[in-house]
C-alpha cells in the first residue's frame, strides 16, 4: 500500500516518465550515464551499449529501463541514483563512466545493496572494498600496463614524453603510466598536463621536441587527442604516438585524415569496428543501424556488462542481491572478452593495442594483453 | 524550517503569513514525499538555500555583482574535505573552519576588489574563482586533483552518525533556519534601508554618513561565510569531493536562484533554491532534451517574474491592501541629532581637472547661524566647491576646516558624520523606497539606529515641509519639487551643523520655494551654517544675508546681495561683455 | 627555444587571436548597446561552428563560400536571441539579461548536443588544406585564411559602424539611447540589429575555429570567458581594446604556455588580469567614459 502510494506520488509530482507504470513483476535496470557535459561522448557510447542490450531482450529476458543524464557533477549522479532507486525492482544499475560520480554513488549502492555496472577506468573504484561495483572495462591498472609495455617492449622506446589531461581520466591514467614506465625502465623525459579546453598544441609540442623523446604517450580525451595528433603530424615531429583509449574511438579518428594517423596507436578494451569475430561484426552492424553511429569499446563493454546482467536474470536472478552474486561469482563470454570478477569487481582483464596504418580510419588490433 | 517563523519578534507582521504557510507546505511536502530521493533533493535544496541566502548580502543588499560565491562554496567544501579525509577531523570540528577560512579570505581581498566597479568587480571575482579551480585540479597532493577526495566524514551529533534522509535533511534545514534568521536580523529595518540606499544611491548613502566601503566589505565577508558553510554541508552530504564544486556552473546556479527567487530576499533564496534544484528533476523524463526545456522554463520565469518568485507572492498577498503601517508614538527626542552649528572655513582652495583649473585659490567663510548664497555662471566652479567641502573630491591645495577640524582629507561619510549635510543638483532619492524612508535613512549611521524612531522624526519634518500626505508614497514617482524638498528634509532632519545645498530652488513652485526658505531660516536660527548654491538670484537675495560670486574658479565679489549684484565684475561675468577669458 | 619556433608560435597566436578577436568584438558590441553581458555569446560561436559543419555536409564548397551564409543565418539567430532574451527585459536591471542569456545558452548547448551528438566535429577548411613552407616556417593555408578573414571582417564591421547610416544609428543608440530616441532613432530595432551583428561575427568565428580546433557542444562557456577577459583587459566598451585583449589571450595560450606549463600559463593569465584590474581599473586602453553598466 505504502509503495503504491509512494509511486503514485512520484508519478504526480514528477509529471514524467511513462515507464513508471511498469508492473511489479518486471525487473528494472536504469541507465545513469553522462549524456551532456564534458563526458557526453563517452557517456553516449555507454548509453547506446546498455540500451542496445536491453532492447535486444536476449532470450526473452526483459528489464525495464529509463536513461537519466548524470551530467558532469557527482551531485547530479547521486540524485539520478536516488531517483532510480525510488522505483521498485531495480536489480542493477548501468552507472557512469565518470570516476568521481562512481565514487559518490558507490556508498549509496552498497547501502541499498544494488550492483553498479560501469566502465569507468578510475582504478580507485574497485580499491575501496565496495562489493557492489562491477567494472566491465579494463581498469587503468590493466590498460596502462598494456600501453607502457607496448611502448617499451614492442616499440623499444625508452625516452617517453607524456601528455595528459588535467581531468579525473587524465590524472588517474598519468599516475599509472608513471609507475609502469618506471618499472619497465623507461625514462619520462617530458611531462605536462593540459586542461580540456586547450586549443593550440604547438606550445606543448615545441617543449616536447626540445626534450628529445623517442615516443609520445597521450592520456587525453577525444577532441584534444585528435587536436594533438593533427598538430603533431603537421609539425613533422615524426615520433610514434601511443595514445589512450580516446584514440581508438571512431569519432576521434573521424576528425583526422588517414595520413595523419600513420604510426598512431592506442590502448583499448576492444575495437569493434576492427572486426575480429562474427559476433562482433554483427554487433557493429546492428549498432550502426540503430544509432547511426560507429561503436567503440565503451559501447561494447557496457553492452557486455548489461548482457551479463540480463543473462543472470534469465537464469533466475530476479533480485538485486542475486544479480550481484551472479556478477561476483559467475563468468560471462562477451563480445570483447570473457568477464570474471577478480574479487574486487574488476570484470575485464584484457587490453588491446590498436594501430592505424595511414590509409584507413579503421585501426588494426596489433597486440592483446591479458592481465592473468 | 522557515526563516520568518519567529512570532516573538516584535517586527512580526501579517506580511510574513504567506511565508509561514509556504514553510508549512514545504514541510508537508517533505513528510508526504518521504522517499529518499525526495529527501535527498530537499537536502540539496537546503544546501543551496544557505549558499544563496549568503549571496543575497553581497548581491542583493550591497548590489555588488560578485562571481566569487561559487569559489567560497568550493573553499568551504575543500576545508571540510581535506581536514576530514586527510586528518580524520569530524564535521563539527571542520565546519567552523569552513565558515571562517572563506570569510578570512574574503576579508583579505575585500579592499582591492571592492574598489572596482560593476563588471570589473565581477570579472575580478571570477578570476579569483578560476584560479581556485585551477589550484584544486592541479595541486594533486593536497586536493586529490580532478579525481577529488573520497570518504568525507558524515555529520556526527551526540555520537550518532546522521544518515541520509530525514536526519540529514533536518540538520541541513536547521542550519538554513539559523542562517536565515541571522541574515534577517542583519538586514531588516534600518540596516536593510542602509544597504538599499547604498545600492541605489551611493552618493546619498555617503551624504548621510554611511561608510559604503565598510558596508560592502561586511556583506562580502558574510557572503563568504555562508558560502563556506554551504560548501561544507555539500561535501559532507555527498561524502565525496571533486573540483566540480569550483565549477562556474555552481556560481551560475547560485545567481540564477537569487534572481529567480527574488533579489535581496531570504524567502526568495529559499524559493529559488527549492525550485531550481527540482526543476531539472521534474524534466528528467525528457532524457537528452530536458536541459533544453529547463532553459526555456528559466527564460519564462525571468521574463514573467520581474521581482522573482518572492515578488509574485508579495503581489498576490498585498493586492488590495494599502500600506497599513502605524507608527508607534515616540516622544520628541534629540536622539541622533547633531548639536549646534559649526563655522566653515575655506582657505586658498584649488582643484583642477586634466590641467583645467576648476577652482583657483578660493577663500570662503560661513559662520554658525549664517546663510550664505553662492552664485556664479555655469562652469564657474560652484558644484566643485560643494563636492570639495563634502569630500567627494580632494583639493590640490588649500584647506577646509569645520570650526577647527581640518576636513579636506576626510572621506565623504566621515565629513557627514561631523554633522555636514548636503543636497545634490539632481535630487538623490532612493527608488523603490517611500519618501518617509528616504528621510529616515538619515539616521542609519547613528549608534543603534531604530527605524520606527527615524520614521517618526521623518514624519515631523515631512509635516514641516507640507508633505505628510505623501509620506508613504514611492519616492521615484514624485514630482521634481517634492523630490527636492524631500532631499532637503533628509539633509535637515538631524539638525546639521553645516548644510550645503546645490541648486535647491530649481524646479520648485512658488509655494514650495516659500517652504524651503522657511525650513532653511528655521535651521539657521538653531545655529547651523548654511551654504546655498543657486542660479536664482532673486531667491538667494531674499534668503541670504551675504552672497559670494565665483567666476572661473575665483571669488570675484562678496558682500550683501545688493553690493554684489551692483559689482562691475559680477555684471561682466554674467552679461559676458568684453575681453573676459572664456 | 630557438627563434624559428618562437616565430611559429607567434603565427599560431595570431591565427587563434584573430578568431578570438571576432568573438570578443561581438561580445563588446552587445555590451555597448545594452550594458549587459550576453552569457550565450560563447554558445553562439559554438552554434556557428556546428552550422558550418552541417552546411559543409550539404554543400561541398570551401568554407570561405559558406562564411557569408553562416553569418546570415547566425544573424537571424541573433535577432531571435534579442527578441527572446533582451527586448522583454529592456527596462530591467542588466542582471536579468544575464540570467535570460544563460538560459538561452543552456538551450543552444543542449540543442547542439541533441542534434549533432557530443563528439567533437571538424568544420570545413576556409580555402583548402595544405601549408606554405618558408625557410622552416610553416604557415598552413587555414591559419593564413583565418587571419585574413578575421581582418576583413573586423575592418568591415568598423566601416559599417562608422561610415553607414545604420551603423551610426547603432552607435548612437549605444552611446546615449535617450538622445538617440529623441533624434528619431528606433533604438529597439538598433539593439536587435546589434545582436544580429554580434551573432554573425560569433558565427564567423565558429566557422574559422571549427576546422583547426574542432567544435563541441560544451565549449561555449570557455569561449564566453575568453571574450569577457579580453573585453575587460582591453578596456570596457572599447572595440580596439577587445581586439588587443583577444590577441593577448591567444599569446598566453600559444606562446606563454611554451615557456611555462599550460596550467601555469592559464593561472598567470588570470593573475595578469587581476593585476591589470587593480593597477588600471579602466583596462589597458582605459574605459570609454560613462560606459560602466
Amino acid at each position: 500500500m505504502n509503495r503504491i502510494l509512494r509511486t503514485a506520488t512520484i508519478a504526480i509530482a514528477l509529471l514524467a516518465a511513462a515507464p513508471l507504470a511498469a508492473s511489479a513483476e518486471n525487473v528494472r535496470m536504469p541507465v545513469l550515464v553522462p549524456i551532456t557535459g564534458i563526458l557526453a561522448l563517452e557517456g553516449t557510447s555507454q548509453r547506446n551499449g546498455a540500451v542496445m542490450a536491453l532492447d535486444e531482450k536476449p532470450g526473452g529476458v526483459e528489464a525495464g529501463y529509463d536513461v537519466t543524464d548524470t551530467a558532469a557533477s557527482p551531485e547530479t549522479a547521486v540524485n539520478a541514483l536516488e531517483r532510480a532507486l525510488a522505483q521498485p525492482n531495480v536489480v542493477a544499475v548501468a552507472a557512469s563512466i565518470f570516476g568521481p560520480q562512481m565514487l559518490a554513488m558507490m556508498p549509496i549502492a552498497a547501502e541499498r545493496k544494488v550492483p553498479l555496472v560501469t566502465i569507468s577506468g578510475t582504478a580507485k573504484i574497485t580499491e575501496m572494498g565496495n562489493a557492489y561495483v562491477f567494472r566491465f572495462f579494463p581498469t587503468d591498472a590493466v590498460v596502462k600496463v598494456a600501453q607502457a609495455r607496448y611502448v617499451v617492449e614492442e616499440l623499444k622506446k625508452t625516452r617517453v614524453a607524456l601528455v595528459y589531461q588535467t581531468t579525473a581520466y587524465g590524472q588517474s591514467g598519468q599516475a599509472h603510466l608513471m609507475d609502469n614506465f618506471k618499472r619497465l625502465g623507461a625514462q619520462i623525459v617530458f611531462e605536462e598536463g593540459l586542461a580540456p579546453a586547450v586549443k593550440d598544441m604547438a606550445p606543448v609540442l615545441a617543449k616536447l621536441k626540445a626534450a628529445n623523446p623517442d615516443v609520445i604517450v597521450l592520456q587525453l580525451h577525444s577532441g584534444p587527442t585528435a587536436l594533438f595528433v593533427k598538430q603533431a603530424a603537421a609539425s613533422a615531429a615524426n615520433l610514434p604516438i601511443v595514445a589512450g583509449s580516446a584514440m581508438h574511438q571512431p569519432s576521434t579518428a573521424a576528425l583526422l585524415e588517414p595520413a595523419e594517423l600513420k604510426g598512431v596507436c592506442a590502448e583499448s578494451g576492444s575495437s569493434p569496428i576492427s572486426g575480429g569475430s562474427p559476433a562482433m561484426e554483427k554487433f557493429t552492424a546492428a549498432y550502426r543501424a540503430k544509432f547511426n553511429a560507429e561503436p567503440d569499446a565503451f559501447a561494447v563493454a557496457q553492452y557486455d556488462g548489461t548482457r551479463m546482467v540480463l543473462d543472470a536474470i534469465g537464469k533466475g536472478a530476479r533480485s538485486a542481491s542475486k544479480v550481484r552474486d551472479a556478477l561476483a561469482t559467475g563468468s560471462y563470454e562477451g563480445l570483447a572478452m570473457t568477464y570474471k570478477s577478480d574479487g574486487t569487481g574488476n570484470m575485464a582483464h584484457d587490453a588491446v593495442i590498436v594501430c592505424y596504418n595511414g590509409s584507413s580510419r579503421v585501426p588494426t588490433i596489433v597486440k592483446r594483453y591479458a592481465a592473468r | 524550517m522557515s526563516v520568518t517563523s519567529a512570532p516573538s519578534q516584535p517586527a512580526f507582521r501579517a506580511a510574513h503569513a504567506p511565508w509561514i504557510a509556504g514553510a508549512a507546505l514545504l514541510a508537508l511536502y517533505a513528510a508526504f514525499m518521504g522517499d529518499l530521493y525526495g529527501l535527498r533533493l530537499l537536502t540539496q535544496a537546503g544546501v543551496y538555500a544557505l549558499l544563496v541566502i549568503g549571496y543575497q548580502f553581497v548581491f542583493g543588499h550591497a548590489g555588488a555583482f560578485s562571481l566569487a560565491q561559487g569559489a567560497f562554496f568550493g573553499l568551504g567544501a575543500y576545508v571540510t574535505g581535506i581536514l576530514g579525509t586527510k586528518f580524520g577531523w569530524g564535521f563539527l570540528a571542520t565546519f567552523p573552519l569552513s565558515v571562517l577560512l572563506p570569510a578570512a579570505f574574503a576579508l583579505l581581498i575585500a579592499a582591492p576588489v571592492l574598489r572596482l566597479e560593476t563588471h570589473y568587480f565581477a570579472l575580478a571575482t571570477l578570476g579569483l574563482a578560476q584560479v581556485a579551480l585551477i589550484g584544486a585540479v592541479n595541486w594533486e597532493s593536497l586536493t586529490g586533483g580532478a579525481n577529488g577526495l573520497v570518504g568525507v566524514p558524515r555529520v556526527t551529533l551526540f555520537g550518532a552518525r546522521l544518515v541520509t534522509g530525514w536526519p540529514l535533511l533536518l540538520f541541513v534545514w536547521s542550519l538554513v533556519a539559523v542562517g536565515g534568521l541571522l541574515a534577517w536580523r542583519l538586514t531588516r529595518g534600518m540596516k536593510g534601508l542602509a544597504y538599499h540606499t547604498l545600492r541605489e544611491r551611493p552618493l546619498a548613502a555617503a551624504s548621510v554618513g554611511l561608510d559604503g566601503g565598510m558596508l560592502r566589505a561586511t556583506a562580502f565577508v558574510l557572503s563568504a561565510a555562508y558560502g563556506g558553510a554551504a560548501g561544507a554541508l555539500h561535501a559532507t552530504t555527498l561524502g565525496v569531493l571533486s573540483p566540480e564544486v569550483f565549477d562556474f556552473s555552481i556560481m551560475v546556479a547560485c545567481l540564477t536562484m537569487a534572481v529567480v527567487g527574488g533579489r535581496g530576499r531570504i524567502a526568495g533564496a529559499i524559493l529559488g533554491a527549492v525550485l531550481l534544484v527540482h526543476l531539472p528533476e521534474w524534466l528528467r523524463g525528457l532524457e537528452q532534451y530536458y536541459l533544453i526545456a529547463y532553459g526555456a522554463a528559466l527564460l519564462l520565469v525571468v521574463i514573467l517574474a520581474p521581482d522573482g518568485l518572492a515578488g509574485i507572492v508579495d503581489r498576490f498577498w498585498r493586492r488590495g491592501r494599502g500600506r497599513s503601517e502605524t507608527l508607534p508614538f515616540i516622544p520628541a527626542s534629540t536622539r541622533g541629532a547633531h548639536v549646534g552649528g559649526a563655522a566653515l572655513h575655506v582657505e586658498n582652495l584649488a582643484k583642477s581637472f586634466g590641467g583645467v583649473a576648476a577652482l583657483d585659490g578660493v577663500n570662503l567663510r560661513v559662520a554658525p547661524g549664517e546663510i550664505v548664497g553662492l552664485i556664479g555662471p555655469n562652469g564657474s566652479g560652484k558644484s566643485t566647491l560643494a563636492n570639495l567641502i563634502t569630500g567627494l573630491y580632494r583639493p590640490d591645495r588649500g584647506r577646509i576646516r569645520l570650526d577647527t577640524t581640518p576636513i579636506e582629507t576626510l572621506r565623504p561619510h566621515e565629513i557627514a558624520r561631523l554633522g555636514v549635510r548636503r543636497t545634490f543638483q539632481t535630487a538623490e532619492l532612493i527608488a523603490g523606497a517611500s519618501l518617509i524612508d528616504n528621510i529616515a535613512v538619515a539616521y542609519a549611521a547613528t549608534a543603534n539606529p531604530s527605524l520606527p524612531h527615524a520614521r517618526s522624526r521623518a514624519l515631523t519634518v515631512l509635516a514641516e515641509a507640507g508633505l505628510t500626505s505623501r509620506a508613504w508614497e514611492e519616492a521615484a514617482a514624485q514630482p521634481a519639487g517634492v523630490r527636492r524638498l524631500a532631499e532637503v528634509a533628509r539633509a535637515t532632519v538631524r539638525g546639521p551643523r553645516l548644510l550645503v545645498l546645490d541648486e535647491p530652488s530649481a524646479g520648485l513652485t512658488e509655494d514650495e520655494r516659500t517652504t524651503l526658505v522657511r525650513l532653511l531660516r528655521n535651521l539657521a536660527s538653531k545655529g547651523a551654517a548654511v551654504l546655498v548654491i543657486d542660479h536664482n538670484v532673486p531667491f538667494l537675495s531674499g534668503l541670504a544675508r551675504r552672497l559670494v560670486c565665483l567666476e572661473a574658479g575665483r571669488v570675484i565679489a562678496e558682500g550683501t546681495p545688493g553690493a554684489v549684484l551692483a559689482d562691475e565684475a559680477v555684471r561682466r561675468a554674467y552679461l559676458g561683455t568684453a575681453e573676459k577669458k572664456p | 627555444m630557438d627563434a624559428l619556433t618562437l616565430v611559429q608560435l607567434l603565427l599560431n597566436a595570431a591565427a587563434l587571436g584573430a578568431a578570438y578577436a571576432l568573438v570578443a568584438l561581438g561580445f563588446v558590441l552587445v555590451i555597448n548597446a545594452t550594458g549587459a553581458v550576453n552569457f550565450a555569446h560563447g554558445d553562439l560561436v559554438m552554434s556557428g561552428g556546428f552550422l558550418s559543419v552541417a552546411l559543409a555536409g550539404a554543400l561541398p564548397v570551401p568554407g570561405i563560400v559558406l562564411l557569408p551564409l553562416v553569418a546570415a543565418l547566425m544573424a537571424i539567430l541573433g535577432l531571435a536571441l534579442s527578441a527572446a532574451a533582451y527586448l522583454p527585459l529592456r527596462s530591467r536591471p542588466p542582471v536579468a539579461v544575464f540570467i535570460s542569456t544563460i538560459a538561452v545558452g543552456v538551450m543552444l548547448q543542449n540543442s547542439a548536443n541533441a542534434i549533432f551528438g557530443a563528439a567533437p566535429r571538424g568544420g570545413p577548411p576556409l580555402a583548402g588544406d595544405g601549408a606554405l613552407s618558408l625557410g622552416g616556417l610553416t604557415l598552413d593555408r587555414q591559419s593564413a585564411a583565418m587571419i585574413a578573414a578575421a581582418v576583413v571582417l573586423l575592418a568591415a564591421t568598423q566601416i559599417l559602424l562608422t561610415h553607414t547610416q545604420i551603423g551610426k544609428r547603432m552607435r548612437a543608440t549605444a552611446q546615449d539611447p535617450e538622445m538617440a530616441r529623441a533624434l528619431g532613432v528606433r533604438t529597439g530595432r538598433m539593439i536587435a540589429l546589434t545582436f544580429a551583428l554580434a551573432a554573425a561575427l560569433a558565427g564567423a568565428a565558429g566557422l574559422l575555429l571549427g576546422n583547426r580546433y574542432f567544435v563541441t557542444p560544451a565549449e561555449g562557456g570557455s569561449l564566453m570567458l575568453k571574450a569577457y577577459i579580453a573585453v575587460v583587459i582591453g578596456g570596457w566598451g572599447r572595440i580596439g581594446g577587445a581586439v588587443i585583449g583577444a590577441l593577448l589571450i591567444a599569446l598566453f595560450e600559444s606562446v606563454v604556455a611554451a615557456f611555462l606549463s599550460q596550467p601555469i600559463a592559464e593561472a598567470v593569465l588570470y593573475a595578469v588580469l587581476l593585476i591589470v584590474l587593480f593597477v588600471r581599473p579602466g583596462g589597458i586602453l582605459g574605459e570609454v567614459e560613462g560606459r560602466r553598466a
Side-chain angles (χ1 to χ4, degrees), chain A residues 35 40 192 195 200 202 207 227, chain C residues 12 113 118 212 254 257-258 260 262:
Chain A
I35 51 177
E192 184 157 323
D200 193 1
K207 274 183 294 180
L227 268 181
Chain C
N12 279 23
N113 198 28
R212 270 196 71 161
S254 288
L260 310 167
Q262 184 270 324

Side-chain angles (χ1 to χ4, degrees), chain C residues 115-201:
Chain C
I115 298 169
F116 294 94
R121 302 288 284 273
L126 276 173
D129 285 323
L132 208 68
S133 226
L134 275 173
L137 270 182
T138 54
L139 179 60
D140 58 303
R141 286 172 72 162
Q142 176 67 13
S143 295
M146 272 171 82
I147 297 172
V151 168
V152 169
L153 285 170
L154 290 172
T157 306
Q158 188 65 29
I159 290 168
L160 173 74
L161 290 178
T162 51
H163 286 77
T164 67
Q165 198 52 243
I166 203 143
K168 284 177 186 165
R169 285 182 184 170
M170 281 162 78
R171 282 198 308 149
T173 304
Q175 274 156 11
D176 192 341
E178 305 284 317
M179 191 58 161
R181 208 170 297 131
L183 294 173
V185 176
R186 303 176 79 160
T187 53
R189 210 173 266 197
M190 289 306 122
I191 289 175
L193 279 178
T194 307
F195 269 95
L197 178 59
L201 289 168

